[in-house]
Structure formats: structure tokens, C-alpha cells
């Protein structure tokens, strides 16, 4: 057994603590993105208080989790955002947070630039306003670019430009690469999943089979582009992409949502994959003893993929993509590069489940001016 294979086997059995912990601070958001994974918009009245959030950081530090991915909603809408961030830094827990940039003015950028262990990624889903704003709302492109300018002028360093790859922007990757170079930033690409509000737009916006092949070749030539293992299903095309190339849900990955519920991964916010709540017993207890996580860590069968010679490369693909398109978890990924997923979608026996919970606003929200 090679070193990479041994490491993957160890990770599939679960670790003492996640190596990729995502924490959504709030469901509040001043945008209404069509593909929002968490269907955010309105804050939930039961969201963790400041004291509960700080206590959670203390527990994360005690578990020796060295960084946490913070998101939302828009995390900077929380009035205590910097209190939470700075407490994490004081406890030597790094913070990687995602923002739409609308609250990232010059003063906030300077404050972030003075903080150790902080990484910022600004979401931009089109290289121009027409492409981006069709998904994220009018004016969002200009605000995101202004946030990047503010970070650059504050001397923040190599922030990240985060892109959800869609049918509309996959042809813009070279331009994204140039934009990242312009800012001295890193480019991070993620897969469009049929989660949250993304369920309604996934079929229309997911890249075509030909586009996915082009994306695979583009990524192979650019190992420096970050993906977070989003595209491991494409590894069935040949040479594996950079990363572990497996589904880490409940094994090395999980999500804490704004009200303290723990889910197997950020893309399966649904009761079926809820493992517990940090208020009830603490995060460590959920991670170690959840029946759901024990189930996910147990050795599984390739299922319908057992006859495919590419299983070792793609590991059957993304659990969330299967679940929210109405496929069984042992069926092929709906975007299987060999076309098996398309066949499974045609033959599926159940209707796709509705995402939950839904905190969407009823209308798109216009951006207010920020000084």
C-alpha cells in the first residue's frame, strides 16, 4: 500500500478531530445568490450568542483544530464578527473566512491586515458584472472588486478569489487566473452543488460534460489553483487531481451551522445528515460519538460503481450531489464523467428531497451604500 493510499484509508476511518471544519456564523445575508448552499438571507433568532461562539472556539482550540473555515450567510454582518475572529486568533485557531465583500471597507481591510492567522476569500462568480451579477445580484461584482482593492491597499497579502464554477463562467478561467495574478492573490475554484437554493439552478448551471473535461485538463496544468477536493469526481478521466480525492463527510470534514447544528459536510444541510448540536453536548462529543458519523466512517461498498474501473480514482463522487438529485448514496455521481450519473438520474426512483432549513429572503436585496 502506497503512502497516499494508506493516508486515504486512515482518513476514511475518521480522525480525532476534523481537518476541515466549516462554521457558518449567521444565516443573515445582504445578497440573495441563486446558488447559495445554505439558502441564507434572514438571520435565525436561535443563532449562537457571542458567549456561546467564544466558548465554541475554546473547545475547538482544546481539540487542536488549527483553523476553521468561517462563512454564512455573510459573516461580517454579525456585530461581534471581529470579537469572534480575534478570540480565535488569541487561541491560536486560524480563521479562513468567506465574504461577499460588501462589508469589507478600507477600515475593515486594515484591521484584517493587522491580524495573524487570518485568511480572507472574496466570492466572485463571473469575471465581469454581467456574469457575476446574474447569480449574485446587481452591484455585487463592483462591491467584490472594491473589497479586493481595499485588501490590496491595506497590504493584506495573498487573499483568495473564490469562484463557483458554472456553465456561464467556466470559459473565463484564464481571465480569473490573470485577475488573481494582478492582485497577488490565490485562485480557488469550487464545484456547483445542488444544495440550498442551488437545487433550483443546478441543472441549468452545471458545466456540460465537455466543459468538465476542459476544466479537468485546465486544473491538471495548474496544481497551484486551490480546489478543496471539489472536483475529485473528474479524476476518473485519468491522472488524479491534486488532493485526497475522496468524500471526507463526517470523516475529516463537517459543518457547524449558525444555530449550532452539526452536519456531515457544508453541502448536505439537511436533517438526514444532521449529527447533533453543540449546545447539547459540545462539538467534541458530536464529532466522536455521533451515530451518523460512525455510519459514514464504516467501510462501505462501491455499490453501483463496483463494475467501473474508475472507482478507485473518483470514489463514487460527491454524497451531496447524489442526495439532492434524488440518487442513492451508492449510486454514481450525477456528473460522472463516464455518463453513468445521467443514466441513474433518468432511472431514479425517488424525487429529490427539499433542502432545509430555508432562510431565503423573498426578494433580492439591493445593496446599501457602505462608507
Amino acid at each position: 500500500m502506497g503512502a497516499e493510499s494508506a493516508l486515504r484509508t486512515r482518513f476514511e476511518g475518521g480522525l480525532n478531530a476534523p481537518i476541515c471544519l466549516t462554521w457558518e456564523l449567521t444565516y443573515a445575508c445582504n445578497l440573495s445568490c441563486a446558488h447559495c448552499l445554505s439558502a441564507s438571507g434572514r438571520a435565525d433568532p436561535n443563532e449562537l450568542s457571542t458567549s456561546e461562539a467564544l466558548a465554541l472556539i475554546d473547545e475547538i482550540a482544546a481539540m487542536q483544530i488549527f483553523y476553521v473555515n468561517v462563512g454564512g450567510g455573510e459573516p461580517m454582518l454579525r456585530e461581534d464578527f471581529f470579537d469572534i475572529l480575534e478570540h480565535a486568533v488569541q487561541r491560536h485557531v486560524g480563521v479562513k473566512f468567506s465574504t461577499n465583500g460588501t462589508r469589507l471597507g478600507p477600515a475593515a481591510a486594515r484591521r484584517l491586515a493587522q491580524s495573524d492567522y487570518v485568511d480572507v476569500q472574496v466570492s466572485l462568480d463571473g469575471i465581469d458584472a454581467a456574469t457575476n451579477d446574474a447569480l449574485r445580484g446587481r452591484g455585487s461584482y463592483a462591491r467584490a472588486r472594491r473589497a479586493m482593492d481595499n485588501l490590496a491597499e491595506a497590504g493584506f497579502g495573498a487573499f483568495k478569489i473564490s469562484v463557483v464554477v458554472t456553465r456561464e463562467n467556466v470559459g473565463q478561467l484564464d481571465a480569473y487566473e490573470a485577475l488573481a495574478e494582478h492582485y497577488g492573490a490565490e485562485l480557488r475554484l469550487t464545484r456547483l452543488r445542488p444544495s440550498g437554493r442551488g437545487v433550483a439552478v443546478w441543472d441549468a448551471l452545471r458545466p456540460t460534460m465537455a466543459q468538465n473535461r476542459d476544466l479537468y485538463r485546465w486544473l491538471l496544468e495548474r496544481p497551484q489553483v486551490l480546489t478543496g477536493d471539489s472536483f475529485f469526481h473528474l479524476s476518473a478521466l485519468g491522472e488524479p487531481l491534486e488532493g485526497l480525492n475522496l468524500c471526507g463527510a463526517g470523516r475529516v470534514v463537517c459543518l457547524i451551522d449558525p444555530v449550532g447544528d452539526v452536519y456531515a459536510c457544508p453541502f448536505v444541510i439537511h436533517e438526514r445528515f444532521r449529527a447533533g448540536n453543540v449546545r447539547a453536548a459540545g462539538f467534541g462529543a458530536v464529532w466522536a460519538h455521533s451515530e451518523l458519523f460512525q455510519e459514514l466512517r464504516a467501510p462501505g461498498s462501491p455499490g453501483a460503481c463496483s463494475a467501473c474501473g474508475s472507482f478507485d480514482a473518483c470514489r463514487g463522487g460527491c454524497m451531496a450531489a447524489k442526495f439532492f438529485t434524488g440518487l442513492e448514496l451508492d449510486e454514481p455521481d450525477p456528473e460522472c464523467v463516464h455518463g453513468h450519473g445521467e443514466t441513474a438520474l433518468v432511472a431514479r426512483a425517488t424525487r429529490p428531497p427539499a433542502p432545509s432549513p430555508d432562510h431565503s429572503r423573498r426578494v433580492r436585496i439591493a445593496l446599501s451604500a457602505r462608507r
Side-chain angles (χ1 to χ4, degrees):
M1 180 182 293
E4 182 178 338
S5 178
L7 185 63
R8 184 162 66 181
T9 299
R10 180 184 176 193
F11 282 8
E12 285 180 331
L15 301 178
N16 291 333
I19 59 174
C20 185
L21 171 60
T22 298
W23 179 12
E24 294 183 343
L25 289 187
T26 181
Y27 282 119
C29 192
N30 53 355
L31 298 186
S32 186
C33 301
H35 56 332
C36 179
L37 292 170
S38 58
S40 289
R42 296 170 288 112
D44 191 299
N46 198 37
E47 291 178 0
L48 298 180
S49 66
T50 301
S51 60
E52 288 174 320
L54 299 184
L56 179 56
I57 290 170
D58 291 340
E59 185 177 12
I60 289 170
M63 292 176 67
Q64 297 185 329
I65 299 172
F66 299 113
Y67 77 90
V68 59
N69 295 300
V70 167
E74 170 49 53
M76 295 188 76
L77 286 177
R78 277 193 65 138
E79 294 182 358
D80 57 1
F81 170 75
F82 277 103
D83 295 329
I84 294 171
L85 182 146
E86 289 166 0
H87 185 71
V89 170
Q90 290 167 6
R91 296 304 312 271
H92 302 289
V93 175
V95 174
K96 300 184 178 185
F97 81 93
S98 300
T99 176
N100 59 34
T102 59
R103 306 279 292 194
L104 216 168
R110 289 192 295 270
R111 190 169 180 179
L112 290 169
Q114 295 168 1
S115 299
D116 294 326
Y117 308 116
V118 175
D119 190 13
V120 181
Q121 61 181 34
V122 182
S123 296
L124 192 73
D125 291 330
I127 200 63
D128 50 49
T131 308
N132 178 85
D133 291 7
L135 278 181
R136 304 185 63 84
R138 186 174 62 182
S140 57
Y141 175 85
R143 293 304 178 96
R145 288 297 304 271
R146 190 175 306 168
M148 295 179 198
D149 291 339
N150 291 336
L151 288 169
E153 290 168 8
F156 179 84
F159 61 87
K160 293 177 174 61
I161 300 173
S162 181
V163 183
V164 177
V165 178
T166 70
R167 190 173 302 180
E168 303 301 321
N169 67 19
V170 69
Q172 301 175 341
L173 295 183
D174 288 342
Y176 271 115
E177 188 176 32
L179 181 66
E181 184 177 350
H182 166 75
Y183 281 112
E186 294 182 282
L187 182 59
R188 184 176 189 272
L189 305 183
T190 58
R191 182 182 177 184
L192 174 70
R193 267 112 167 164
S195 306
R197 285 197 294 271
V199 169
V201 299
W202 177 78
D203 199 48
L205 289 179
R206 62 181 170 125
T208 65
M209 188 80 77
Q211 287 175 329
N212 271 326
R213 292 194 189 99
D214 290 341
L215 171 62
Y216 167 74
R217 288 189 288 268
W218 194 90
L219 288 171
L220 271 183
E221 295 171 359
R222 295 165 177 82
Q224 76 280 6
V225 173
L226 306 174
T227 66
D229 280 314
S230 279
F231 303 102
F232 66 92
H233 65 298
L234 300 183
S235 290
L237 288 168
E239 182 182 345
L241 295 172
E242 291 290 312
L244 289 172
N245 288 316
L246 60 82
C247 172
R251 303 178 177 102
V252 297
V253 173
C254 74
L255 167 88
I256 302 173
D257 84 347
V259 300
D261 284 336
V262 181
Y263 294 90
C265 95
F267 311 116
V268 287
I269 305 176
H270 188 276
E271 185 62 29
R272 164 69 177 84
F273 297 100
R274 180 181 176 275
N277 188 283
V278 300
R279 282 179 169 134
F283 173 67
V286 176
W287 178 259
H289 304 300
S290 159
E291 291 184 11
L292 170 66
F293 287 174
Q294 298 304 319
E295 172 192 338
L296 292 173
R297 294 165 189 167
S301 166
C305 296
S306 59
C308 179
S310 297
F311 178 76
D312 284 343
C314 76
R315 311 301 292 178
C318 174
M319 180 176 73
K322 299 178 195 183
F323 179 73
F324 283 119
T325 53
L327 299 180
E328 298 296 329
L329 300 188
D330 61 356
E331 290 190 276
D333 188 293
E335 292 185 274
C336 167
V337 297
H338 298 310
H340 302 313
E342 295 288 352
T343 302
L345 287 173
V346 172
R348 62 190 165 190
T350 59
R351 297 181 63 181
S356 62
D358 189 345
H359 291 82
S360 300
R361 296 178 184 269
R362 300 300 173 230
V363 296
R364 287 186 179 271
I365 304 301
L367 300 179
S368 59
R370 296 287 305 173
R371 291 184 174 84

